Amino acid sequence: MKKLLNNPNEVVEEMLRGIEITNPDVDYDVEGAVISRKNKTRKVGVVSGGGSGHEPAHAGYVGYGMLDAAVSGNVFASPSPDRVLRGIQLADAKEGVLLVIKNYAGDIMNFEIAEELAKEEGIEVDHVVVKDDVAVEDSDDSTGRRGIAGTVFVHKIAGAKAESGASLAEVKRVAQKAIQNVRSFGVSLSSCTIPAVGKAGFTIEENKMEVGMGIHGEPGIIKTKLGTSKEVSNLIVNRILEDMDYGDNSEVAVMVNGLGGTPLMELYILAADIDHELKEHGLQPIKYYVGNYMTAIEMAGASCSLLKLDDELKELLLMPCNTSALKE
Amino acid sequence: MKKLLNNPNEVVEEMLRGIEITNPDVDYDVEGAVISRKNKTRKVGVVSGGGSGHEPAHAGYVGYGMLDAAVSGNVFASPSPDRVLRGIQLADAKEGVLLVIKNYAGDIMNFEIAEELAKEEGIEVDHVVVKDDVAVEDSDDSTGRRGIAGTVFVHKIAGAKAESGASLAEVKRVAQKAIQNVRSFGVSLSSCTIPAVGKAGFTIEENKMEVGMGIHGEPGIIKTKLGTSKEVSNLIVNRILEDMDYGDNSEVAVMVNGLGGTPLMELYILAADIDHELKEHGLQPIKYYVGNYMTAIEMAGASCSLLKLDDELKELLLMPCNTSALKE
């Protein structure tokens, strides 16, 4: 294992400490493994989280206009209910708290237990579940689709609505609307190494790629010949559009997301080809996000998330935000 | 070679096209391989550039408060004088143009030729040369130190001053001041592959790191046992402080820069350890930048750049900017 770290079993604590030190707008609650906003205002709290290893997700999205708290589990492992409860408590400003959960069985269970515990404390809590990955209908870890990079759009939409002073029901409504309108799909070129494990969990041959692999290395649809950027773009866009009718001339926001080890050069090449594909299908990409937004440690590969916009989603998406990973 | 691309010989053109498509505030001049700001205002133009493969440098820094134009060469190859001249022309708003050059023989030669050609056209041009890497005094490619990630600080300082309406002489003065006050040092854990070459230029053994390697894979000081984050932080900070007297209680801005293949998790762990080292040495880190700012394609590793701040540099550093790679 070739990594810059100290104790492989303490990477999450040390990383969260680094986030706290370098971002003056957040606090780190050690016991709960929670990064939360320093300046709390009276509004609906938005909380997300999950296993670590997806940086900048989720702690990088804590700040004005997005999340109020992000809860971290160990690498690729769901945070325990007590950690999630701590996140809810830290985000609670007496206007209710919305949990944005990625669709994995462990996350669902732990976030829902925490929701019940928080309700017993008198905190109003509700949740949404993101399931944007069109690769697989069910997996070992999820019933229905997995939640991947499209989750960042949900953070943005829910966070913007909460910032506007909307009620919990209204914040939940727009978050659900974003979830209904976002789909993602990706390819992986390499494995990744969980520090505490010390070696890659699998390998992908030199001339192959895994299509539809999950962000924890869960199997995809097929292992196939490594395609060109044009071929991969065609595959990604077709697969997404087969799954959902984006309509004619619809405006879309596009995230071309690196999985951690793929250089920005390749993401831009891919973005140009995806743009071509989208326009061929009569869609209007009005905003691009190109970079590492939801990673799988140092995995090479990329995913594309497409959010279909109506006036409401567009307005919320374009509202300002100020987090370490996304500023608008 | 495992990369998402089409033609390995056209990666720069395809990447620049992707940048243009995804960033509504810039134009792409195909002939000059220049990314430039769409809305030109009457102010000193700031131009930088160099070989490609360092993304988001430099095209990612084109925008309000930083660069007016970035000129790209092929991967790890200096842009030709005619390309640089095109960059100067595009950045020229009749108030003069400052070139920010990284200290490599090819860049110096080509940018200086372009400067002469532009002067013949009646454009007022001056330049500064960034040499922040304390690893080597001279190299095969540079006389004196190489320019690496500290260059981004120079873009920020010069860009902010130019945005304020200062004269070319004043913009040059603050850029020089930033150069005099910034030092960088890094370690590499892996090689990287130039697409047109198709295979890595060298290898670093599994348990080794190369200390002081350049951002094009130029040899460093020593190949040594892979250290922990704490050991690497100690090495980096000591090496920088041996080179320059940062004084007692000085305020510093700190860039913990990933070389492309190192996940954000590790950069945050490193940042926490670097913060500890800096405070041990009596320095006050007032602002952190953690991420991939100046890369070597998909090389694993990280560098740290330390900018010593006085009131003027601090004010300029903290001014707003709006580019795809840095927003403040």
Side-chain angles (χ1 to χ4, degrees):
Chain A
M1 174 174 57
K2 215 160 183 190
K3 289 177 180 288
L4 286 170
L5 45 80
N6 298 302
N7 183 339
N9 295 308
E10 290 173 9
V11 289
V12 175
E13 297 85 331
E14 293 196 8
M15 168 183 75
L16 294 176
R17 176 100 181 100
I19 290 173
E20 183 189 39
I21 286 168
T22 58
N23 182 348
D25 299 328
V26 302
D27 281 323
Y28 167 34
D29 181 273
V30 178
E31 209 177 322
V34 175
I35 294 290
S36 66
R37 282 170 71 174
K38 206 167 256 175
N39 299 313
K40 208 147 88 168
T41 55
R42 181 129 193 183
K43 66 167 203 59
V44 169
V46 183
V47 175
S48 193
S52 294
H54 306 303
E55 293 71 32
H58 296 275
Y61 301 113
V62 171
Y64 179 85
M66 292 188 79
L67 302 181
D68 296 282
V71 188
S72 294
N74 286 330
V75 178
F76 293 173
S78 182
S80 59
D82 57 312
R83 287 188 177 189
V84 181
L85 177 61
R86 189 71 193 126
I88 295 172
Q89 291 165 339
L90 287 166
D92 173 37
K94 314 293 174 206
E95 297 290 338
V97 173
L98 183 72
L99 306 180
V100 179
I101 314 173
K102 298 198 301 301
N103 190 31
Y104 299 97
D107 282 347
I108 302 273
M109 185 177 73
N110 291 337
F111 276 74
E112 286 188 348
I113 293 171
E115 178 174 335
E116 290 311 312
L117 294 171
K119 282 176 178 168
E120 284 171 20
E121 292 183 4
I123 304 174
E124 193 188 1
V125 187
D126 207 339
H127 70 266
V128 295
V129 179
V130 187
K131 34 182 87 175
D132 54 317
D133 187 356
V134 303
V136 287
E137 261 310 310
D138 291 291
S139 73
D140 288 348
D141 301 311
S142 67
T143 305
R145 291 173 179 130
R146 301 175 297 221
I148 58 170
T151 308
V152 179
F153 282 137
V154 183
H155 294 347
K156 181 70 184 72
I157 297 292
K161 190 70 178 175
E163 214 66 66
S164 77
S167 68
L168 177 56
E170 275 291 285
V171 175
K172 181 181 179 181
R173 181 184 62 75
V174 297
Q176 284 287 22
K177 194 183 199 179
I179 291 168
Q180 279 155 14
N181 286 281
V182 67
R183 296 291 185 278
S184 304
F185 192 65
V187 299
S188 302
L189 276 60
S190 82
S191 183
C192 60
T193 298
I194 298 173
V197 175
K199 57 179 186 179
F202 57 95
T203 54
I204 305 179
E205 296 88 328
E206 181 60 25
N207 59 344
K208 292 279 172 69
M209 64 181 180
E210 176 112 12
V211 176
M213 173 174 280
I215 53 173
H216 313 91
E218 309 96 310
I221 303 168
I222 191 175
K223 207 181 273 188
T224 182
K225 184 173 163 287
L226 174 62
T228 64
S229 169
K230 285 188 204 303
E231 287 164 352
V232 168
S233 301
N234 181 275
L235 175 75
I236 286 176
V237 171
N238 278 306
R239 181 84 193 185
I240 291 176
L241 298 188
E242 275 165 22
D243 188 87
M244 185 177 116
D245 183 3
Y246 279 74
D248 288 336
N249 290 314
S250 296
E251 292 186 325
V252 289
V254 188
M255 178 172 287
V256 180
N257 173 57
L259 295 177
T262 283
L264 200 47
M265 171 187 281
E266 295 173 38
L267 297 182
Y268 276 118
I269 292 172
L270 192 65
D273 290 327
I274 285 173
D275 184 81
H276 176 79
E277 289 287 336
L278 294 174
K279 287 172 180 163
E280 285 281 303
H281 283 92
L283 294 175
Q284 296 184 58
I286 64 135
K287 185 159 172 65
Y288 272 95
Y289 302 78
V290 183
N292 292 345
Y293 291 95
M294 172 92 63
T295 63
I297 321 181
E298 77 279 21
M299 188 182 278
S303 67
C304 173
S305 302
L306 280 190
L307 175 66
K308 182 181 172 183
L309 298 167
D310 63 6
D311 289 346
E312 183 181 42
L313 290 180
K314 185 175 173 181
E315 187 187 338
L316 290 167
L317 190 75
L318 300 181
M319 277 179 65
C321 65
N322 187 6
T323 73
S324 65
L326 190 62
K327 289 186 172 71
E328 299 275 6
Chain B
M1 175 175 56
K2 214 159 185 192
K3 289 177 181 288
L4 287 170
L5 45 80
N6 297 303
N7 183 340
N9 295 308
E10 288 173 10
V11 289
V12 174
E13 296 84 332
E14 293 196 8
M15 168 182 76
L16 295 176
R17 177 100 181 99
I19 290 173
E20 182 189 40
I21 286 168
T22 58
N23 183 351
D25 299 327
V26 302
D27 282 322
Y28 168 33
D29 181 273
V30 178
E31 208 177 322
V34 175
I35 294 290
S36 65
R37 282 170 70 174
K38 205 168 256 175
N39 298 313
K40 209 147 88 168
T41 55
R42 179 128 196 184
K43 65 167 203 62
V44 169
V46 182
V47 174
S48 192
S52 294
H54 306 302
E55 294 68 33
H58 296 275
Y61 301 113
V62 172
Y64 179 85
M66 291 187 80
L67 301 181
D68 296 281
V71 188
S72 293
N74 286 331
V75 178
F76 293 173
S78 183
S80 60
D82 58 313
R83 287 188 175 188
V84 180
L85 176 62
R86 189 72 192 124
I88 295 171
Q89 290 165 338
L90 287 165
D92 172 37
K94 314 292 174 206
E95 297 290 337
V97 173
L98 182 72
L99 306 180
V100 179
I101 315 172
K102 296 199 299 305
N103 191 31
Y104 298 97
D107 283 346
I108 302 272
M109 183 178 73
N110 291 338
F111 276 74
E112 286 188 348
I113 292 171
E115 179 174 334
E116 289 310 310
L117 294 171
K119 282 177 178 169
E120 284 171 20
E121 292 183 6
I123 304 175
E124 193 189 1
V125 187
D126 206 338
H127 70 267
V128 294
V129 178
V130 187
K131 33 181 90 174
D132 55 318
D133 186 356
V134 303
V136 286
E137 262 309 311
D138 290 290
S139 73
D140 287 350
D141 300 311
S142 66
T143 305
R145 294 177 176 126
R146 302 175 297 220
I148 58 171
T151 308
V152 179
F153 283 136
V154 182
H155 294 347
K156 181 70 184 70
I157 298 291
K161 190 71 178 176
E163 215 63 68
S164 78
S167 67
L168 178 56
E170 275 292 285
V171 175
K172 180 181 180 181
R173 181 184 63 76
V174 296
Q176 283 286 21
K177 194 184 198 180
I179 292 167
Q180 279 155 14
N181 286 282
V182 67
R183 298 289 186 281
S184 304
F185 192 67
V187 299
S188 302
L189 275 60
S190 83
S191 182
C192 61
T193 298
I194 297 173
V197 174
K199 57 179 184 178
F202 57 95
T203 54
I204 305 179
E205 296 89 326
E206 181 60 24
N207 59 344
K208 293 278 172 73
M209 63 182 181
E210 176 113 9
V211 175
M213 173 176 278
I215 53 173
H216 312 90
E218 310 95 311
I221 301 166
I222 190 174
K223 207 181 272 189
T224 182
K225 182 174 163 288
L226 175 61
T228 63
S229 170
K230 284 189 205 304
E231 287 165 352
V232 168
S233 301
N234 180 276
L235 175 76
I236 287 175
V237 171
N238 278 304
R239 182 84 192 184
I240 291 176
L241 297 188
E242 273 165 24
D243 188 87
M244 185 176 116
D245 184 3
Y246 279 73
D248 288 335
N249 291 312
S250 295
E251 292 186 326
V252 288
V254 188
M255 178 171 287
V256 180
N257 172 59
L259 295 177
T262 283
L264 200 46
M265 172 188 282
E266 295 173 38
L267 298 182
Y268 275 118
I269 292 172
L270 192 65
D273 290 328
I274 286 173
D275 185 80
H276 176 80
E277 289 288 335
L278 294 175
K279 286 173 180 163
E280 285 281 304
H281 283 92
L283 293 175
Q284 296 184 58
I286 64 137
K287 187 159 172 63
Y288 272 94
Y289 302 77
V290 183
N292 292 345
Y293 291 94
M294 171 92 63
T295 62
I297 323 180
E298 77 279 21
M299 187 182 281
S303 67
C304 172
S305 301
L306 280 190
L307 175 65
K308 182 182 172 181
L309 298 168
D310 62 8
D311 289 346
E312 182 179 43
L313 290 180
K314 186 176 173 181
E315 187 187 337
L316 291 167
L317 190 75
L318 300 181
M319 276 179 67
C321 65
N322 187 6
T323 72
S324 65
L326 189 64
K327 289 187 171 71
E328 301 274 6

